[in-house]
Amino acid sequence: MRILLVDDSPLTLACAEDALVAAGYAVRCASDLSELDGLDHDVDLVLMDVVMPEAFGDDVAAMLRGARRLAAPILLLSSLDDDELKQRVAEAELDGYIPKSAGIAGMVEHVRAFLAARETGR
Amino acid sequence: VTRRSIEHTFAATAARRLRRVRDLLAGNAPDARRFLGRELHALSGEAMFLGFTTVCDLVRRAEELAAAWPGTDDAEDAAGPALRELIDAIAGALPPADTADLAAAPRAYIIADCVAHAWVLRDVLEHEGVETSVATDTERLLQIDPAIVICNVSTAQRLDPIVAAVRAMTRAAVVLVSSEPLESLAGDAARLGADGFVSTAAGLSAAVTAIKEHLA
């Protein structure tokens, strides 16, 4: 399974990548829009931070869905509160969110459960 | 990645973010409030994700205060001093960093007419492993004790007393930086007895290379 991880914090990217790779996923990382632009978007899941310097992650996600015709599910990964994340997910028609309060291990569990549920649903 | 390595990296990253926050609180940068909010939000997100709950709670409070901060150091405003206190509390709540590593990093102190103009230079220097603070004056010079002071000041009325103060306060190398061509900078450097001068007219990477040569 291939995961695209987008976050402007190098520290968050490094820790999340490390944990996801240890869990058996292939991970591509982008810390800004130019890096994201240079990556292959053929992935099974996108994890997207929300508050980034250049743009909000839900807007970037909408762009990936529209202009780039990205078919993979997109989850927001953010420290914003649950109500705001639910609203952003609904407005951008995304697939869900993972609160950063879940921590590194919690994020991996969310990803595992989400991908397993999708596999079962197919 | 071990818990200890996460703690160390988080402490170093957080210390850098807090230094930027202090620079913003002390400076007169346009958009300071927006940049302050961005640094604090990034820090709260990192603290939350990596499980530093106390730090996260304190930074969240700082984010709330920052929203009320007017963006300038207004003596009438209570948010600035309260924010500074909270920043000190956050620094005190950070996990212990590998201080030997941190102490080994060379430190630079940029004095600029406008701190926002010096941020790009600071970011490039920090990318090169030089811990860099930005200020409009010499107020925090003794506290930081840099190996090099980079003066990005445009008028002689300001430059001359700043260089004299730096010379009196530290043994740091003094380098003048400007977007002016080298010839005009050379005159100022010779007159003030500065250790060097660097023009950014030839590009930032050439300027950073020259600054690193002075550090070496």
Side-chain angles (χ1 to χ4, degrees), chain B:
Chain B
V1 176
T2 64
R3 186 64 196 168
R4 181 70 196 109
S5 71
I6 288 176
E7 283 180 359
H8 171 60
T9 312
F10 174 71
T13 302
R16 194 157 44 240
R17 291 199 187 281
L18 291 179
R19 203 170 59 247
R20 288 180 183 183
V21 167
R22 287 191 178 105
D23 286 345
L24 287 162
L25 285 169
N28 58 352
D31 275 350
R33 192 162 169 243
R34 184 164 61 90
F35 285 108
L36 188 76
R38 184 186 293 176
E39 287 293 340
L40 290 171
H41 183 78
L43 181 54
S44 73
E46 287 165 348
M48 179 185 283
F49 187 57
L50 302 178
F52 298 101
T53 324
T54 307
V55 175
C56 180
D57 290 345
L58 289 168
V59 180
R60 280 285 169 95
R61 276 168 51 198
E63 283 186 84
E64 287 167 16
L65 269 179
W69 181 57
T72 55
D73 202 14
D74 185 346
E76 301 293 314
D77 178 67
L83 258 173
R84 278 190 200 87
E85 270 185 37
L86 204 42
I87 298 308
D88 289 343
I90 294 165
L94 294 179
D98 189 340
T99 48
D101 279 4
L102 293 178
R107 285 191 293 272
Y109 188 92
I110 303 176
I111 301 174
D113 286 331
C114 173
V115 293
H117 291 161
W119 283 340
V120 177
L121 178 59
R122 175 201 59 192
D123 287 349
V124 178
L125 282 169
E126 294 215 327
H127 184 69
E128 295 286 321
V130 182
E131 286 206 41
T132 307
S133 295
V134 183
T136 55
D137 53 34
T138 56
E139 192 177 335
R140 292 187 301 122
L141 197 56
L142 288 176
Q143 179 193 338
I144 288 169
D145 188 24
I148 189 166
V149 176
I150 299 159
C151 294
N152 183 203
V153 176
S154 58
T155 62
Q157 290 98 315
R158 252 176 60 73
L159 183 62
D160 292 13
I162 283 174
V163 173
V166 171
R167 287 289 189 222
M169 293 163 79
T170 77
R171 300 176 70 180
V174 177
V175 173
L176 310 184
V177 172
S178 171
S179 55
E180 297 292 316
L182 284 172
E183 304 80 64
S184 62
L185 271 171
D188 279 338
R191 179 171 56 80
L192 294 165
D195 299 290
F197 49 95
V198 175
S199 172
T200 54
L204 205 55
S205 55
V208 169
T209 301
I211 289 167
K212 286 183 76 181
E213 281 169 9
H214 283 288
L215 266 172

